[in-house]
Amino acid sequence: MATFIVSTGTWRHPTVTGQFHIYLKYRSTPMAGPGYYLPGVPFTMYFYRGYALHGTYWHSNFGTPMSHGCVNLRTPDAEWLYEFAPMGTLVNVHP
């Protein structure tokens, strides 16, 4: 198994907590929301509504809340997880 340092949501955009399952995977996909547009977000794995685990090319400040609710990983870590975790994999998100 592996361990990764991530960045989760800020207090304004918290990451949901609970138990979920990966329901959709993209090797690369655009993401957009109020005030941001990110083309080609790598190794995206949606686990609840618009919340996903994914690679991150726009910052390297892992270990600090930085996202709009998603779980940001270093791109190589996201790739490893993408290849390891099939659809339906349980995702535990805790505070």
Side-chain angles (χ1 to χ4, degrees):
M1 191 46 102
T3 302
F4 308 110
I5 297 173
V6 302
S7 289
T8 56
T10 65
W11 67 273
R12 286 183 186 239
H13 305 282
T15 302
V16 294
T17 59
Q19 292 190 328
F20 310 95
H21 291 89
I22 294 172
Y23 71 88
L24 191 60
K25 293 172 67 170
Y26 294 106
R27 284 196 166 278
S28 178
T29 190
M31 287 188 171
Y36 72 95
Y37 174 76
L38 299 165
V41 177
F43 306 108
T44 301
M45 297 159 279
Y46 284 98
F47 60 87
Y48 177 76
R49 296 186 183 174
Y51 294 85
L53 304 153
H54 60 73
T56 308
Y57 57 78
W58 53 92
H59 78 79
S60 59
N61 199 18
F62 299 97
T64 301
M66 295 285 297
S67 80
H68 283 82
C70 287
V71 178
N72 294 181
L73 295 107
R74 291 180 179 99
T75 298
D77 296 344
E79 181 178 17
W80 186 94
L81 192 57
Y82 185 92
E83 297 300 333
F84 174 82
M87 295 279 284
T89 296
L90 179 65
V91 177
N92 287 301
V93 182
H94 54 86

